[in-house]
Coordinates of all heavy atoms in Angstrom, one line a residue:
E1 N 2.0 3.8 3.5 CA 3.1 4.7 3.2 C 3.8 4.3 1.9 O 4.1 3.1 1.7 CB 4.1 4.7 4.4 CG 3.6 5.3 5.7 CD 2.6 4.5 6.5 OE1 2.4 3.3 6.0 OE2 2.2 4.8 7.6
P2 N 4.1 5.3 1.2 CA 4.9 4.8 -0.1 C 6.3 4.3 0.3 O 6.9 4.6 1.2 CB 5.1 6.3 -0.7 CG 4.1 7.2 -0.1 CD 3.8 6.7 1.2
G3 N 6.6 3.3 -0.5 CA 7.8 2.6 -0.3 C 7.7 1.3 0.6 O 8.6 0.5 0.5
E4 N 6.7 1.2 1.3 CA 6.5 0.0 2.2 C 5.9 -1.1 1.4 O 5.0 -0.8 0.5 CB 5.6 0.4 3.4 CG 6.3 1.2 4.4 CD 5.7 1.2 5.7 OE1 4.6 0.5 5.8 OE2 6.0 1.9 6.6
P5 N 6.2 -2.3 1.6 CA 5.6 -3.4 0.9 C 4.1 -3.4 1.1 O 3.6 -3.3 2.2 CB 6.2 -4.7 1.5 CG 7.6 -4.1 2.1 CD 7.3 -2.8 2.5
G6 N 3.4 -3.5 0.1 CA 1.8 -3.6 0.1 C 1.3 -2.3 0.5 O 0.1 -2.2 1.0
G7 N 2.0 -1.2 0.3 CA 1.6 0.2 0.9 C 0.3 0.5 0.1 O -0.4 1.5 0.5
R8 N 0.2 0.1 -1.1 CA -1.0 0.6 -2.0 C -2.3 -0.1 -1.7 O -3.3 0.4 -2.0 CB -0.7 0.4 -3.5 CG 0.6 1.2 -3.8 CD 1.1 0.8 -5.2 NE 2.4 1.1 -5.5 CZ 2.7 2.3 -6.2 NH1 1.7 3.0 -6.6 NH2 3.9 2.7 -6.3
D9 N -2.3 -1.3 -1.0 CA -3.4 -2.1 -1.0 C -4.5 -1.6 -0.3 O -5.7 -1.7 -0.7 CB -3.1 -3.5 -0.5 CG -2.0 -4.3 -1.3 OD1 -1.9 -3.9 -2.5 OD2 -1.3 -5.1 -0.8
G10 N -4.3 -0.9 0.9 CA -5.4 -0.5 1.7 C -5.8 1.0 1.5 O -6.7 1.4 2.3
H11 N -5.2 1.7 0.6 CA -5.4 3.1 0.5 C -6.7 3.4 0.0 O -7.1 2.9 -1.2 CB -4.3 3.8 -0.2 CG -4.2 5.2 0.0 ND1 -5.0 6.1 -0.8 CD2 -3.6 6.1 0.9 CE1 -4.7 7.4 -0.3 NE2 -3.8 7.3 0.6
W12 N -7.6 4.3 0.5 CA -8.9 4.5 0.0 C -9.0 4.9 -1.5 O -10.0 4.6 -2.1 CB -9.6 5.5 0.9 CG -9.0 6.8 0.9 CD1 -8.0 7.4 1.7 CD2 -9.3 7.9 -0.1 NE1 -7.7 8.6 1.4 CE2 -8.5 9.0 0.2 CE3 -10.1 8.0 -1.2 CZ2 -8.5 10.2 -0.5 CZ3 -10.1 9.2 -1.8 CH2 -9.4 10.2 -1.5
S13 N -8.0 5.8 -1.9 CA -8.1 6.3 -3.2 C -7.9 5.3 -4.4 O -8.2 5.6 -5.5 CB -7.0 7.4 -3.4 OG -5.7 6.9 -3.4
F14 N -7.4 4.1 -3.9 CA -7.3 3.0 -5.0 C -8.2 2.0 -4.9 O -8.2 0.9 -5.6 CB -5.8 2.4 -5.0 CG -4.8 3.5 -5.2 CD1 -4.0 4.1 -4.2 CD2 -4.5 3.9 -6.5 CE1 -3.0 5.1 -4.5 CE2 -3.6 4.8 -6.9 CZ -2.8 5.4 -5.8
D15 N -9.2 2.1 -4.0 CA -10.3 1.2 -3.9 C -11.3 1.3 -5.0 O -11.6 2.4 -5.4 CB -11.1 1.3 -2.5 CG -10.2 0.9 -1.3 OD1 -9.2 0.1 -1.5 OD2 -10.6 1.3 -0.2
A16 N -11.7 0.1 -5.4 CA -12.8 0.1 -6.6 C -14.0 0.7 -6.0 O -14.5 0.3 -4.9 CB -13.0 -1.3 -7.1
P17 N -14.9 1.5 -6.8 CA -16.1 2.0 -6.3 C -17.1 0.9 -6.1 O -17.2 -0.1 -6.9 CB -16.5 3.0 -7.4 CG -15.8 2.6 -8.7 CD -14.4 2.0 -8.3
A18 N -18.0 1.1 -5.2 CA -18.9 0.1 -4.9 C -20.1 0.2 -5.9 O -20.5 1.3 -6.3 CB -19.5 0.2 -3.4
D19 N -20.7 -1.0 -6.3 CA -21.9 -0.9 -7.1 C -23.1 -0.5 -6.4 O -23.2 -0.7 -5.1 CB -22.1 -2.3 -7.8 CG -21.0 -2.7 -8.6 OD1 -20.4 -1.8 -9.3 OD2 -20.7 -3.9 -8.8
F20 N -24.1 0.1 -7.1 CA -25.4 0.4 -6.6 C -26.1 -0.9 -6.2 O -25.9 -1.9 -7.0 CB -26.2 1.2 -7.5 CG -25.8 2.7 -7.5 CD1 -25.6 3.4 -8.7 CD2 -25.6 3.4 -6.3 CE1 -25.3 4.7 -8.8 CE2 -25.3 4.7 -6.3 CZ -25.1 5.5 -7.6
P21 N -26.8 -0.9 -5.2 CA -27.8 -2.2 -5.0 C -28.6 -2.3 -6.2 O -29.0 -1.4 -6.9 CB -28.5 -1.7 -3.7 CG -27.7 -0.6 -3.1 CD -27.1 0.1 -4.1
D22 N -29.0 -3.5 -6.4 CA -29.8 -3.9 -7.6 C -31.0 -3.1 -7.6 O -31.8 -3.0 -6.6 CB -30.0 -5.4 -7.6 CG -28.9 -6.2 -7.8 OD1 -27.9 -5.7 -8.4 OD2 -28.9 -7.4 -7.4
G23 N -31.4 -2.6 -8.9 CA -32.7 -1.9 -9.0 C -32.7 -0.5 -8.5 O -33.7 0.3 -8.7
L24 N -31.6 0.0 -8.1 CA -31.5 1.4 -7.6 C -30.7 2.3 -8.6 O -29.7 1.8 -9.3 CB -31.0 1.5 -6.2 CG -31.8 0.8 -5.1 CD1 -31.1 1.0 -3.7 CD2 -33.1 1.4 -5.1
S25 N -30.9 3.6 -8.6 CA -30.1 4.4 -9.3 C -29.8 5.7 -8.5 O -30.1 5.8 -7.3 CB -30.9 4.9 -10.6 OG -32.0 5.7 -10.2
I26 N -29.0 6.7 -9.1 CA -28.6 7.8 -8.4 C -29.9 8.6 -7.9 O -29.8 9.3 -6.8 CB -27.7 8.7 -9.1 CG1 -27.1 9.8 -8.4 CG2 -28.5 9.2 -10.4 CD1 -26.2 9.3 -7.3
D27 N -30.9 8.5 -8.6 CA -32.2 9.2 -8.4 C -32.7 8.8 -7.0 O -33.3 9.5 -6.2 CB -33.2 9.0 -9.5 CG -32.9 9.8 -10.7 OD1 -32.0 10.6 -10.6 OD2 -33.5 9.6 -11.7
H28 N -32.5 7.5 -6.6 CA -33.0 6.9 -5.4 C -32.3 7.7 -4.2 O -33.1 8.0 -3.2 CB -32.7 5.4 -5.3 CG -32.8 4.8 -3.9 ND1 -34.1 4.6 -3.4 CD2 -32.0 4.6 -2.9 CE1 -34.1 4.1 -2.1 NE2 -32.7 4.1 -1.8
F29 N -31.0 7.9 -4.3 CA -30.3 8.5 -3.2 C -30.6 10.0 -3.1 O -30.8 10.7 -2.1 CB -28.8 8.2 -3.4 CG -28.5 6.8 -3.3 CD1 -28.3 6.1 -4.4 CD2 -28.4 6.0 -2.1 CE1 -28.0 4.7 -4.4 CE2 -28.1 4.7 -2.1 CZ -27.9 4.1 -3.3
V30 N -30.7 10.7 -4.3 CA -31.1 12.1 -4.4 C -32.5 12.2 -3.8 O -32.8 13.1 -2.9 CB -31.0 12.6 -5.8 CG1 -31.6 14.1 -5.9 CG2 -29.5 12.6 -6.3
G31 N -33.4 11.4 -4.2 CA -34.8 11.5 -3.6 C -34.9 11.4 -2.2 O -35.6 12.0 -1.4
A32 N -34.1 10.4 -1.6 CA -34.1 10.2 -0.3 C -33.6 11.4 0.5 O -34.2 11.7 1.6 CB -33.2 9.0 0.1
K33 N -32.6 12.0 0.1 CA -32.1 13.2 0.8 C -33.0 14.3 0.6 O -33.2 15.2 1.6 CB -30.7 13.6 0.3 CG -29.6 12.6 0.6 CD -29.4 12.7 2.1 CE -28.2 11.9 2.6 NZ -28.0 11.8 4.1
L34 N -33.7 14.5 -0.5 CA -34.7 15.5 -0.6 C -35.9 15.3 0.3 O -36.4 16.2 1.0 CB -35.2 15.5 -2.1 CG -34.3 16.1 -3.1 CD1 -34.9 16.0 -4.5 CD2 -34.0 17.5 -2.9
A35 N -36.3 14.0 0.5 CA -37.4 13.7 1.4 C -37.1 14.0 2.8 O -37.9 14.5 3.6 CB -37.8 12.2 1.2
E36 N -35.8 13.7 3.2 CA -35.4 14.1 4.6 C -35.6 15.6 4.9 O -35.8 16.0 6.0 CB -33.9 13.7 4.8 CG -33.6 12.2 4.8 CD -32.1 12.1 5.0 OE1 -31.4 13.0 5.2 OE2 -31.7 10.9 5.0
R37 N -35.5 16.4 3.9 CA -35.6 17.9 4.1 C -37.0 18.4 3.6 O -37.2 19.6 3.4 CB -34.5 18.6 3.3 CG -33.1 18.2 3.9 CD -31.9 18.6 2.9 NE -30.7 18.5 3.5 CZ -30.1 17.3 3.7 NH1 -30.6 16.2 3.4 NH2 -28.9 17.3 4.3
G38 N -37.9 17.5 3.4 CA -39.3 17.9 3.0 C -39.3 18.4 1.6 O -40.3 19.3 1.3
L39 N -38.4 18.1 0.7 CA -38.5 18.5 -0.7 C -38.8 17.3 -1.6 O -38.9 16.2 -1.2 CB -37.1 19.1 -1.0 CG -36.6 20.2 -0.1 CD1 -35.1 20.6 -0.5 CD2 -37.5 21.4 -0.4
S40 N -39.1 17.7 -2.8 CA -39.3 16.7 -3.9 C -38.8 17.1 -5.2 O -38.2 18.2 -5.3 CB -40.9 16.6 -4.0 OG -41.5 17.8 -4.4
M41 N -38.7 16.1 -6.1 CA -38.2 16.4 -7.4 C -39.1 17.5 -8.2 O -40.2 17.6 -7.9 CB -38.1 15.2 -8.2 CG -37.4 14.0 -7.7 SD -35.6 14.2 -8.1 CE -34.9 12.6 -7.7
S42 N -38.4 18.2 -9.1 CA -39.0 19.2 -9.8 C -39.9 18.5 -10.9 O -39.7 17.3 -11.2 CB -38.1 20.1 -10.7 OG -37.3 20.8 -9.8
P43 N -41.1 19.0 -11.3 CA -42.0 18.4 -12.2 C -41.2 18.3 -13.6 O -40.3 18.9 -13.8 CB -43.2 19.3 -12.3 CG -42.7 20.7 -11.9 CD -41.6 20.3 -10.9
P44 N -41.6 17.3 -14.4 CA -41.1 17.2 -15.7 C -41.2 18.5 -16.5 O -42.2 19.2 -16.4 CB -41.9 16.1 -16.4 CG -42.5 15.3 -15.2 CD -42.8 16.3 -14.2

């Protein structure tokens, strides 16, 4: 709550974004969701 001591510390909108696991990129997560639905990446 605004105005309370320490009120900003736990709020989700001010949390630092989490890093991707080593060796992974956004393509890994997109590919995983596509695979769940029986889809694949478009060809080059």
